[in-house]
Every structure is written in structure tokens, then in C-alpha cells.
């Protein structure tokens, strides 16, 4: 076990201080590109400078703090996450990964330790995608994974991304400059709250992330016949909402009963004409499946299509399925999981493997370098809500593991 310890009270103070930007009675409102987000970014830059980092903002608005290494020409070991939040979000999602990274580097500086590799702390732009409805903007830009739809979208207030990027110091027309080559990075580590209940329930302080879930998204439009709710006999109805309800139950069973994939959710519904005295004529539902295995997602899609066809036939309604592009799952390599296990051991902390059910910047960065993630417990598994909470001890434990991981990686990579 190493003697070097992160400063738990300093870490937790910085979490509280960052959490003041965008704090409202309804939860955190640090939406990417908002004034609160910009204040949070400036605060983080000030901490990076205090820790002895040189800071820059790349063309995608990512903040990169750099501490040089001692061996010339070695690629950087990067750590980071995001400081934006969802509307009515929490203080820990993203913030812990960024402030944990800064705390690790501050600890190295305090102890006059110089690593072989350069070390970076990174704040990725608009991870949540609340702005522009395009998520992982900064990390996908860095990994060269932008899509045509990212070229210059307009947000809900009618302002384009080129303008918003300029507000935070980015330069979107030159976004290709933000792409990092694999030879520039040795590894990327992201500390994050679990956002699920496993660690909290088991009482184990550290999650060794096994991979980031894949996601399949669909919309279904169900067209029946709108008709008078008082005069149309039950035997003569083509009730689109009733068929949508049957499909909702079928989608739920696909994970809950047949376990074809890990989780399945119908999360949105629009009924027309949405009047209490009219048999619903048409309904749109949005649904998704998530699993680490893309084969499981394909099997879930098959089962869902069969259920949809059967309900359409039985009920005499039209069912149209719209398939969105699948998000690939990102498995984490065994040697990187083992490095997190060794880091937990060095920190004297128990650990267990956990999959990530949520998406993270790490999934984009994994396409250009080796990647590992460390999870800490989320109280009651709550996240993306004002009640999101990880104890000061949990946050400090995760940050200590991040430091041990950095030290191990510096020796072994
Ligand atoms: Zn996050």
C-alpha cells in the first residue's frame, strides 16, 4: 500500500463548491453552455491551475489540464469526465470524475511526485446532451466520432452550436483539430458514481466496471380508429392505446421475464386525440433495450418485432416500427479491469465487477486508447435527480483508487 493519500476534505469541499453553480431548489441546472456551466468550467480551470497544470480549451470546448511527465515522448495518461448536468440533476454525476482527477494531480504536486507519463485532467463538453439533444459532443469530437447531424445543430433557443462553442472558448468550425491520435494517449480513466443500486445494496465501496452498455432504441406508431367512447361497442373497437399498452407489457416482459436483454423500457407515449371521451385513434411510443451484449440486443429486437406483429394482427391495428441507430456496447479489456482491481487492493478497498447501464465519455475515448472506469456507490441507486448522493467517504475512496490506478498505469504502460 502506498503512503500517498488524496486529501478527502479538499476533494469534498471542491464538490460542494462546484455544486453551487446551477444549484436550485429543483436540483442542479448546470446545462452545457449555460451561464452556470461556464462558471463551473471557470472554477474547475482555477483548481487545475492551483494543482500546477497548464490548461487549454480545444476546438470542441473540452478543457484539458496537463502536468508534464519526466520521460520525453511518452503519451499522456488522461483522467476526466464532465461538469454539465441534466435538468434537475445531481452534484456528483460527472463532477466526481473531474474533481477526482484534479485532486489526484494536486496530490502528486503536494508530494513532489513526478510521473514518467504526462498526466491530463479533462472536462468533456456537453456529455449529457441536454443542449442540442446531441450527447458526448466533446468526447466524440476528441475520438473523431462526430456524425453528420453534429455539424452545426441549433438548440431549443434557436442558437447554433458554432455560437455556443465560442461562448465556452471552443472553435466548432475547426472541430477536427480536437481529434487526438491513439499515439498521444496511453490510457483514459474515468471515476464515476454508479447511478444504480448494486454497490449501495452490497456495501462494497468500489465497482470495477466491466463495460458500458449497448442501447437499441425504437419508436412504434400504432394506428387504429378514433371513435365515440360512448357509442362504439367494445367488440367494434380498434383502440390504439390499448394495443400500445399490450406492447408495453410485452416489452417489459422481454427483460423482466424472458431475460432476453438486461433492461427494457417503454419511456414515452403520445396518444391522439388524447381525449377522455374518444377511443384513441393513434399512439406513438418510444422504447429502448440495453445490454452489454449486442447479440442480446439483436435477440430483443427479434422478440419485440414478433410481439408487435402479433398484437397488430390480433387487434386489427397498424403497427409501424422506426428503428434508431444502435449504440454499440463498449466492453472494458480484462487487463484494464485487473488494473482497477489492483488499484483497489492498493487502496485497501473491497471491489466487485459491475456493468455500466448508463453511457459515459469513456465509451467514446475507448475508441482511441485503453480505458478503465471506477464506480462508487450511489445512495439508493438514485441519479439524474436532486436526491443523487454519494457519501464524502465514497467519493474519497473512489479518488484514492483513481490515484492508485494512475500510479500503477505510470509504471506498467
Ligand atoms: Zn455522467
Amino acid at each position: 500500500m502506498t503512503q500517498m493519500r488524496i486529501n478527502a476534505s479538499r476533494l469534498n469541499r471542491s464538490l460542494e463548491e462546484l455544486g453551487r453553480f446551477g444549484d436550485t431548489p429543483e436540483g442542479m441546472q448546470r446545462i452545457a453552455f449555460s451561464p452556470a456551466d461556464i462558471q463551473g468550467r471557470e472554477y474547475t480551470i482555477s483548481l487545475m491551475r492551483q494543482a500546477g497544470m497548464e490548461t487549454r480549451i480545444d476546438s470542441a470546448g473540452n478543457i484539458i489540464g496537463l502536468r508534464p511527465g519526466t520521460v520525453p515522448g511518452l503519451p499522456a495518461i488522461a483522467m476526466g469526465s464532465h461538469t454539465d448536468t441534466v435538468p434537475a440533476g445531481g452534484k456528483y454525476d460527472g463532477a466526481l470524475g473531474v474533481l477526482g482527477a484534479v485532486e489526484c494531480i494536486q496530490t502528486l504536486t503536494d508530494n513532489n511526485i513526478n510521473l514518467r507519463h504526462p498526466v491530463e485532467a479533462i472536462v468533456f463538453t456537453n456529455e449529457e446532451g441536454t443542449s442540442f439533444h446531441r450527447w458526448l459532443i466533446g468526447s466524440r469530437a476528441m475520438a473523431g466520432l462526430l456524425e453528420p447531424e453534429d455539424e452545426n445543430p441549433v438548440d431549443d433557443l434557436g442558437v447554433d452550436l458554432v455560437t455556443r462553442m465560442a461562448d465556452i472558448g471552443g472553435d466548432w468550425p475547426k472541430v477536427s483539430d480536437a481529434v487526438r491520435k491513439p499515439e498521444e494517449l496511453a490510457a483514459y480513466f474515468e471515476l464515476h458514481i454508479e447511478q444504480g443500486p448494486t454497490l449501495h445494496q452490497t456495501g462494497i465501496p468500489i465497482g470495477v466496471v466491466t463495460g458500458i452498455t449497448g442501447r437499441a432504441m425504437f419508436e412504434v406508431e400504432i394506428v387504429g380508429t378514433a371513435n365515440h367512447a360512448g357509442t362504439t361497442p367494445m367488440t367494434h373497437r380498434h383502440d390504439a392505446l390499448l394495443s400500445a399498452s399490450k406492447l408495453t407489457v410485452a416489452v417489459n416482459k422481454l427483460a423482466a421475464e424472458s431475460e432476453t436483454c438486461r433492461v427494457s423500457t417503454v419511456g414515452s407515449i403520445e396518444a391522439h386525440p388524447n381525449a377522455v371521451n374518444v377511443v384513441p385513434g393513434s399512439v406513438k411510443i418510444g422504447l429502448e433495450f440495453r445490454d452489454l451484449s449486442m447479440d442480446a440486443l439483436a435477440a430483443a429486437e427479434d422478440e419485440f418485432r414478433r410481439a408487435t406483429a402479433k398484437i397488430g394482427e390480433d387487434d386489427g391495428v397498424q403497427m409501424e416500427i422506426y428503428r434508431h441507430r444502435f449504440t454499440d456496447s463498449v466492453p472494458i479489456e480484462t487487463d484494464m479491469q485487473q488494473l482497477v482491481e489492483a488499484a483497489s487492493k492498493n487502496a485497501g478497498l473491497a471491489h466487485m465487477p459491475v456493468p455500466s447501464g448508463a453511457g459515459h465519455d469513456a465509451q467514446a475515448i475507448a475508441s482511441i486508447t485503453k480505458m478503465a472506469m471506477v464506480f462508487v456507490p450511489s445512495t439508493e441507486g438514485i441519479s439524474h435527480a436532486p436526491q443523487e448522493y454519494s457519501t464524502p467517504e465514497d467519493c474519497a475512496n473512489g479518488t484514492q483508487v483513481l490515484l492508485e490506478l494512475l500510479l500503477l498505469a505510470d509504471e506498467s504502460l
Side-chain angles (χ1 to χ4, degrees):
M1 196 152 124
T2 71
Q3 298 302 308
M4 190 163 38
R5 306 288 301 178
I6 61 110
N7 183 329
S9 56
R10 180 172 60 200
L11 169 75
N12 283 290
R13 193 166 57 240
S14 68
L15 277 164
E16 287 307 311
E17 283 175 356
L18 178 60
R20 286 189 199 133
F21 303 110
D23 193 14
T24 73
E26 291 79 41
M28 295 303 304
Q29 303 277 359
R30 210 164 50 237
I31 313 302
F33 308 105
S34 67
D37 179 46
I38 292 171
Q39 288 176 320
R41 289 165 57 89
E42 282 166 359
Y43 171 73
T44 306
I45 290 170
S46 75
L47 291 186
M48 287 176 170
R49 293 199 174 136
Q50 272 171 41
M53 285 177 252
E54 277 168 39
T55 63
R56 67 183 175 97
I57 295 175
D58 72 10
S59 56
N62 299 311
I63 302 167
I64 302 170
L66 172 70
R67 187 172 195 270
T70 56
V71 178
L74 280 187
I77 300 174
M79 304 176 289
S81 195
H82 58 99
T83 53
D84 66 318
T85 71
V86 294
K91 272 185 199 168
Y92 302 88
D93 175 0
L96 177 61
V98 167
L99 297 175
V102 173
E103 174 59 34
C104 288
I105 294 173
Q106 179 73 63
T107 302
L108 294 178
T109 299
D110 292 349
N111 288 275
N112 287 314
I113 302 287
N114 292 307
L115 299 186
R116 297 165 59 234
H117 295 77
V119 184
E120 293 181 4
I122 305 180
V123 177
F124 290 107
T125 306
N126 197 19
E127 190 269 352
E128 300 288 5
T130 302
S131 303
F132 299 99
H133 309 286
R134 306 287 306 156
W135 74 320
L136 305 182
I137 287 265
S139 49
R140 287 190 296 116
M142 190 178 283
L145 297 176
L146 291 176
E147 292 163 357
E149 298 89 321
D150 298 311
E151 194 181 329
N152 190 18
V154 173
D155 69 15
D156 294 343
L157 296 171
V159 180
D160 67 6
L161 185 53
V162 171
T163 306
R164 293 288 188 207
M165 270 298 172
D167 291 346
I168 64 166
D171 188 358
W172 198 242
K174 293 187 181 161
V175 66
S176 59
D177 294 353
V179 176
R180 307 284 295 269
K181 295 188 195 78
E183 53 269 29
E184 292 175 48
L185 293 171
Y188 172 72
F189 302 134
E190 186 162 345
L191 168 65
H192 207 281
I193 57 169
E194 184 195 355
Q195 305 180 281
T198 309
L199 296 173
H200 177 73
Q201 278 170 1
T202 54
I204 291 180
I206 297 296
V208 178
V209 183
T210 53
I212 299 174
T213 194
R215 183 178 182 209
M217 248 167 72
F218 301 90
E219 273 174 305
V220 185
E221 189 169 11
I222 300 140
V223 181
T225 311
N227 212 334
H228 196 295
T231 61
T232 314
M234 298 309 283
T235 48
H236 284 66
R237 296 184 177 201
H238 300 284
D239 180 338
L241 183 51
L242 183 64
S243 304
S245 309
K246 292 178 187 174
L247 184 56
T248 302
V249 172
V251 165
N252 173 266
K253 283 187 173 169
L254 202 145
E257 283 182 14
S258 66
E259 298 184 7
T260 308
C261 61
R262 189 174 58 83
V263 287
S264 59
T265 310
V266 175
S268 71
I269 184 161
E270 269 174 53
H272 296 278
N274 206 26
V276 71
N277 56 355
V278 182
V279 176
S282 71
V283 171
K284 255 190 219 168
I285 58 173
L287 58 116
E288 58 155 56
F289 307 119
R290 297 196 194 201
D291 202 286
L292 268 186
S293 151
M294 296 308 283
D295 289 345
L297 293 183
E301 177 176 2
D302 285 350
E303 208 173 312
F304 149 70
R305 285 186 182 275
R306 275 198 300 277
T308 307
K310 180 163 193 316
I311 293 164
E313 213 177 291
D314 290 354
D315 293 359
V317 296
Q318 275 176 36
M319 304 280 234
E320 190 80 49
I321 297 174
Y322 301 93
R323 185 184 196 269
H324 292 253
R325 197 180 323 188
F326 281 24
T327 304
D328 286 344
S329 62
V330 179
I332 294 178
E333 289 168 30
T334 313
D335 61 333
M336 295 307 274
Q337 293 185 45
Q338 285 166 346
L339 209 59
V340 179
E341 290 169 6
S344 307
K345 191 164 168 272
N346 287 356
L349 293 165
H351 57 81
M352 68 178 288
V354 279
S356 173
H360 298 289
D361 292 306
Q363 74 195 62
I365 300 307
S367 70
I368 48 169
T369 190
K370 292 166 91 62
M371 178 273 278
M373 285 194 78
V374 179
F375 276 177
V376 297
S378 291
T379 301
E380 305 298 343
I382 296 171
S383 182
H384 282 191
Q387 295 79 17
E388 178 179 283
Y389 183 65
S390 294
T391 67
E393 192 187 0
D394 290 332
C395 295
N397 284 341
T399 303
Q400 185 66 34
V401 172
L402 186 64
L403 177 63
E404 304 292 350
L405 187 57
L406 173 64
L407 297 175
L408 285 175
D410 187 54
E411 284 166 21
S412 65
L413 295 180

